[in-house]
Amino acid sequence: MSRIHFEWNVESQQIDRSDGEDPEEKRRRRRSLLILLALVFVLLLAIALTVALVRQRIHQVERQFEQLLQDTVKAEVAALRIGDLNSFLKVQSADDASWVNRQRAMFQHYSDLKSDGAIQLTGSILAAEVDGDRARALVQENINELPYARLWFYRRAGDGWQHTAPDFSFWGAQSELESENAVISYRAADSDFARQLSDALEDWRRRGCDILECGNLPKLRVTVVADATSETAWIDERQMRLQIRSPYIDITRADTPFDGWLQLQVSAMLAERLVNAHTSYLAPTEPHDAVFLRQSAIAWLSEAFTRLDSGATLMRSLADKYGADKVARLLAQMTAASDISILQEAVNQPFESADLDWRDFVEWRLALEQSLIRDRRENDWLKLYDTSVESARVAAYGRFNAGAKEQSYRVIDLLHWSKPDGAPQLRATVQATGLGGAAEEIVLFNLVDGLWKRAS
């Protein structure tokens, strides 16, 4: 019994034996570790505070330069407003003599607008961006009570900013905006424009293909380019790759950067592409009326997109009175050599009762006549006339022998009536404008075998 007790006691003593380390030393080592951790924490905290202070200082400096930029823009606008050329030129970069000369001309332009009461220089900054020693500001000015915007660029010089020529490398980061039928690639300065452009193109393509049979058109891909030498043009029309010049290179509407003129240009390009898809790229040639009919259909479709007057009076009257599907039908039936009688087939009634607006057709015919005279294409030219009217034939050859005139034509009034024998006739009051000024004349067209032919 005692032996068992002894063995247990030995085992117990072995278990309770210390690892031999001094407890005080152990506490000192733990305290040293805690102190080291505290020092590391304090060091990291100091670094973080230093970084925060540096960042705060950088932000303060950036805000100071942003404020200085705004002050510079306002001072520049104030100089324009009061007509202080010297103060205005002080803000311009003197390193570029051509830029200074351009700004002198711009100052005079503003002076002319002010003298006409056509401009209000608000000095409002719609947007601003500072990147190191570069900056840009979108500045509003009201012209004829409408808001416009110009993009101004600046370089930091010492403690201030100087107005420089446009910096196309500082147009902002590249972005992409995709919708169901279009992809717009653009840079940050064009973001508002890109959104409006995307919405318009999506709407135009949908409505255009509701009218015309578009087939399997590819997705429209548009690149907005910031380059003073670039133009709005197709890169690849069949693949629908389009390049559009940024409107901020010049001046544009502040509220609608995709404005009227650019809308007309882009809508006409898209309309032509849709007409090409509908007609399998039919290519009429002069002097056939198919040339006019195709041009008029494109102009009308562009007008349907933008609701801006394109002057396509004949197609507009056709669509308004008989439906847009008649325009599609006309294009589908047209050949390269079609004459105006094909329109009579589309409306399924004679011209005298069709109540169509022929103004733009008359203008085109008069311009075509001058073109044929210029090229001395007598046979084609004579087909434009009702040669059964001797007086018209004599007058026609008088014009042909006199040669072509460099002038434009505008129909200011047109009557559709009947001659004494009951035959239909157009009586157009035309304003002809050329080097000698403007003059009015009356031009008559008789309906001969379904064709309008000049009779005066």
Side-chain angles (χ1 to χ4, degrees):
M1 188 68 179
S2 61
R3 184 179 63 81
I4 295 174
H5 174 74
F6 174 76
E7 289 177 355
W8 177 88
N9 197 33
V10 170
E11 186 177 353
S12 175
Q13 290 175 4
Q14 287 175 347
I15 293 173
D16 290 342
R17 286 186 61 184
S18 168
D19 58 7
E21 183 178 4
D22 185 356
E24 184 64 28
E25 181 64 26
K26 201 171 185 179
R27 284 192 293 272
R28 282 197 299 270
R29 185 161 56 83
R30 188 180 297 112
R31 189 165 51 249
S32 297
L33 180 59
L34 291 174
I35 292 172
L36 178 60
L37 292 174
L39 289 174
V40 171
F41 174 77
V42 170
L43 179 61
L44 292 175
L45 181 62
I47 293 173
L49 289 173
T50 301
V51 170
L53 289 173
V54 170
R55 284 183 176 176
Q56 182 180 13
R57 179 55 183 162
I58 290 174
H59 290 158
Q60 287 177 345
V61 172
E62 288 178 347
R63 285 194 294 270
Q64 289 174 358
F65 278 112
E66 288 173 1
Q67 183 59 51
L68 184 58
L69 174 65
Q70 295 187 25
D71 294 341
T72 302
V73 171
K74 291 178 179 178
E76 191 172 3
V77 172
L80 286 171
R81 190 184 298 120
I82 64 176
D84 187 347
L85 176 60
N86 290 332
S87 297
F88 177 73
L89 292 180
K90 283 181 181 179
V91 184
Q92 312 307 315
S93 174
D95 296 336
D96 186 348
S98 64
W99 171 249
V100 173
N101 290 333
R102 285 164 57 187
Q103 289 301 85
R104 283 180 182 272
M106 182 62 70
F107 184 90
Q108 185 59 51
H109 172 67
Y110 278 115
S111 298
D112 295 340
L113 289 174
K114 285 190 302 176
S115 64
D116 293 337
I119 192 169
Q120 180 185 5
L121 298 166
T122 67
S124 299
I125 300 175
L126 304 177
E129 182 74 22
V130 176
D131 179 21
D133 63 350
R134 302 186 300 178
R136 66 175 184 266
L138 190 62
V139 184
Q140 180 177 329
E141 56 193 51
N142 296 338
I143 301 177
N144 296 323
E145 300 183 353
L146 294 175
Y148 285 82
R150 290 184 187 272
L151 202 55
W152 289 358
F153 289 82
Y154 294 84
R155 282 278 181 180
R156 204 158 66 200
D159 294 331
W161 294 99
Q162 286 194 328
H163 194 165
T164 67
D167 183 354
F168 299 115
S169 68
F170 184 41
W171 218 259
Q174 191 74 35
S175 297
E176 196 172 84
L177 184 59
E178 184 169 4
S179 60
E180 182 180 355
N181 292 302
V183 179
I184 315 295
S185 297
Y186 65 97
R187 292 168 67 184
D190 287 307
S191 57
D192 289 343
F193 170 68
R195 283 191 292 271
Q196 291 185 11
L197 176 64
S198 177
D199 292 343
L201 291 177
E202 189 69 28
D203 176 57
W204 295 351
R205 174 162 168 165
R206 176 185 55 78
R207 290 196 287 126
C209 291
D210 285 344
I211 298 170
L212 305 178
E213 176 56 48
C214 293
N216 296 320
L217 284 176
K219 202 163 193 172
L220 182 59
R221 298 186 178 275
V222 181
T223 302
V224 183
V225 294
D227 180 356
T229 62
S230 65
E231 297 293 339
T232 296
W234 286 111
I235 300 173
D236 185 336
E237 183 191 348
R238 289 183 179 266
Q239 294 303 314
M240 297 188 73
R241 294 176 57 232
L242 178 63
Q243 170 183 284
I244 296 181
R245 187 177 190 264
S246 169
Y248 294 106
I249 291 176
D250 302 307
I251 185 172
T252 188
R253 282 284 296 269
D255 52 345
T256 55
F258 190 36
D259 64 1
W261 164 245
L262 190 53
Q263 280 190 32
L264 281 175
Q265 187 179 13
V266 175
S267 65
M269 296 171 72
L270 179 60
E272 183 174 19
R273 179 63 179 88
L274 298 186
V275 167
N276 284 337
H278 185 72
T279 62
S280 300
Y281 278 87
L282 177 71
T285 56
E286 288 186 347
H288 301 297
D289 294 333
V291 172
F292 164 79
L293 292 171
R294 179 180 180 276
Q295 291 173 350
S296 184
I298 291 169
W300 167 79
L301 188 58
S302 169
E303 181 178 298
F305 292 159
T306 64
R307 297 177 177 84
L308 298 171
D309 187 359
S310 67
T313 59
L314 182 58
M315 287 297 162
R316 186 192 308 146
S317 64
L318 173 64
D320 290 347
K321 290 179 171 61
Y322 299 96
D325 61 302
K326 290 295 189 292
V327 178
R329 178 183 173 186
L330 173 69
L331 290 170
Q333 294 178 340
M334 193 169 66
T335 67
S338 290
D339 56 44
I340 201 64
S341 65
I342 193 176
L343 185 58
Q344 194 166 246
E345 299 172 15
V347 299
N348 199 28
Q349 61 178 298
F351 284 153
E352 54 264 36
S353 58
D355 192 24
L356 297 174
D357 188 339
W358 296 95
R359 285 177 294 168
D360 60 333
F361 176 73
V362 169
E363 292 169 354
W364 178 78
R365 270 291 185 86
L366 294 175
L368 174 63
E369 181 180 349
Q370 291 301 312
S371 175
L372 295 176
I373 291 173
R374 185 181 305 109
D375 296 339
R376 312 311 292 171
R377 294 168 60 181
E378 183 176 354
N379 290 336
D380 289 330
W381 160 81
L382 193 58
K383 291 176 183 178
L384 303 180
Y385 278 83
D386 181 1
T387 54
S388 67
V389 180
E390 182 61 25
S391 60
R393 182 182 178 88
V394 171
Y397 270 103
R399 296 187 193 97
F400 188 84
N401 294 330
K405 296 180 180 179
E406 295 296 331
Q407 55 188 15
S408 59
Y409 301 93
R410 184 172 68 89
V411 175
I412 56 180
D413 188 38
L414 187 137
L415 295 176
H416 194 162
W417 60 7
S418 298
K419 297 190 299 181
D421 62 2
Q425 187 177 67
L426 295 178
R427 183 182 188 275
T429 303
V430 178
Q431 183 181 71
T433 304
L435 297 177
E440 289 186 11
E441 60 179 300
I442 303 298
V443 182
L444 302 177
F445 286 83
N446 291 339
L447 190 61
V448 181
D449 297 329
L451 304 176
W452 291 114
K453 295 199 172 189
R454 185 168 180 176
S456 65

